[in-house]
């Protein structure tokens, strides 16, 4: 006989909401970093005296690459928790 899933508590609901909003915030920050990096690249390309902006764009890309696994680590459990909450409400 398979084990029965535990009861969903208020703490579980709060944790699901917290993970969901954390994933949204991390995703939004990654999107902003991508846009800012493109702006930095454009500024670096316009004038050779602004070459430092190109390096800042590279730093932002490294940050985006480092944040991608974090986003996955937050978003996947959040989605599973939200699905479990929806299924229990039915």
């Amino acid at each position: 006989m398979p084990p029965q899933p535990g009861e969903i508590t208020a703490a579980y609901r709060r944790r699901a909401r917290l993970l969901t909003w954390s994933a949204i915030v991390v995703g939004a920050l990654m999107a902003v970093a991508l846009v800012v990096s493109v702006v930095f690249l454009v500024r670096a390309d316009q004038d050779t005296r602004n070459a430092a902006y190109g390096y800042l764009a590279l730093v932002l890309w490294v940050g985006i690459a480092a944040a991608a696994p974090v986003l996955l680590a937050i978003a996947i459990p959040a989605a599973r928790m939200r699905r479990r909450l929806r299924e229990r409400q039915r």
Side-chain angles (χ1 to χ4, degrees):
M1 195 188 286
Q4 295 295 328
E7 187 176 327
I8 295 177
T9 63
Y12 186 85
R13 284 180 177 39
R14 278 193 304 272
R15 197 172 307 121
R17 198 170 333 140
L18 176 70
L19 284 175
T20 302
W21 280 105
S22 298
I24 291 169
V25 168
V26 169
L29 288 174
M30 288 174 65
V32 169
L34 181 65
V35 170
V36 170
S37 71
V38 170
V39 170
F40 282 166
L41 283 178
V42 169
R43 286 203 60 182
D45 194 40
Q46 288 175 349
D47 188 8
T48 57
R49 292 176 295 186
N50 291 331
Y53 286 116
Y55 292 110
L56 287 173
L58 288 174
V59 169
L60 286 175
W61 289 346
V62 168
I64 291 169
V70 173
L71 179 62
L72 288 173
I74 295 172
I76 292 171
R80 293 190 67 178
M81 292 172 83
R82 298 288 296 220
R83 177 186 291 168
R84 184 174 176 217
L85 286 171
R86 278 195 307 270
E87 287 174 356
R88 286 294 207 150
Q89 287 176 351
R90 291 182 190 180

